[in-house]
Amino acid sequence: MKTDIILAGVGGQGILSIATCIGLAAMNENLYLKQSELHGMSQRGGAVQSHFRLSDKPIASDQIPLGKADIIISVEPMEALRYLPWLSKDATVVADSQPYINIPDYPDINEVTNEIKKLKNHILINAGELAQSIKSPKSANIVMLGAASPFLHLKLESLQDAVRELFKTKGDAVVEANLQALNIGRKASSNYAK
């Protein structure tokens, strides 16, 4: 088993929380993992990306070669497009459909999402709207993790345990909200008509 994941978004969208949940779940399943350095975190709104590699065998490098990524998880649609050259032929892109407009010349969102829709395997969901529906707007990133969860080769229970571990110091209500976010994202992904 091997899964190469690119996490993408902008600073402040919760990429670190997604990475931490995946890492905790992988460790719970006794998998090997390597993660590259995150970029852009020093500036809220700056581009952020991370290579995340999971395997049941030792991993030599933390960098995913061009054309070898299995999945892009992007909490910002234009950021998903930036990393398309890393995707393998049958890879999946799971992206938020709503933009984080942080530049004055942000392209038309319909053009951005139409490019994603051209991909054979894609899922576009409105994570913010789903997070609002469970009255937890800050959990949109965990909604995205839930949407990507069927493609990560990790058990749902491992991801749920990771969410509990990550948010336990914030109280039971925050833990429960993020578990709901994970589950609503997973349901949205399974209901997505490609």
Side-chain angles (χ1 to χ4, degrees), residues 81 84 87 91 93 114-122:
L81 296 180
L84 292 184
L87 284 180
V93 172
N114 285 339
E115 286 302 310
I116 294 171
K117 289 176 183 176
K118 289 178 185 177
L119 300 170
K120 179 176 137 185
N121 301 313
H122 70 275

Side-chain angles (χ1 to χ4, degrees), residues 26-170:
M27 288 190 304
N28 287 342
E29 295 188 24
N30 296 313
L31 296 174
Y32 293 93
L33 63 103
K34 288 221 179 196
Q35 180 181 359
S36 71
E37 178 183 343
L38 291 158
H39 302 278
M41 290 304 291
S42 61
Q43 175 185 339
R44 189 169 201 62
V48 178
Q49 66 90 18
S50 178
H51 290 208
F52 207 99
R53 307 186 84 187
L54 305 175
S55 179
D56 56 357
K57 296 177 176 59
I59 303 165
S61 171
D62 59 2
Q63 294 293 306
I64 300 170
L66 285 174
K68 298 295 183 182
D70 300 300
I71 184 169
I72 293 174
I73 304 170
S74 183
V75 293
E76 206 292 320
M78 190 172 72
E79 291 300 316
L81 296 180
R82 184 187 309 261
Y83 300 104
L84 292 184
W86 273 267
L87 284 180
S88 66
K89 187 179 119 202
D90 294 318
T92 301
V93 172
V94 179
D96 195 334
S97 63
Q98 299 307 298
Y100 181 96
I101 300 176
N102 57 347
I103 55 174
D105 56 348
Y106 193 99
D108 179 87
I109 189 57
N110 292 321
E111 291 177 18
V112 173
T113 56
N114 285 339
E115 286 302 310
I116 294 171
K117 289 176 183 176
K118 289 178 185 177
L119 300 170
K120 179 176 137 185
N121 301 313
H122 70 275
I123 294 174
L124 275 167
I125 63 168
N126 186 332
E129 186 176 88
L130 289 170
Q132 285 283 8
S133 76
I134 58 170
K135 298 181 178 32
S136 183
K138 291 184 178 181
S139 64
N141 60 329
I142 304 300
V143 170
M144 292 305 303
L145 175 60
S149 65
F151 310 99
L152 299 178
H153 303 110
L154 294 167
K155 296 174 188 162
L156 178 58
E157 296 79 18
S158 296
L159 288 168
Q160 290 168 333
D161 288 344
V163 165
R164 288 183 189 98
E165 180 67 22
L166 180 62
F167 294 106
K168 70 181 179 184
T169 61
K170 298 188 182 229

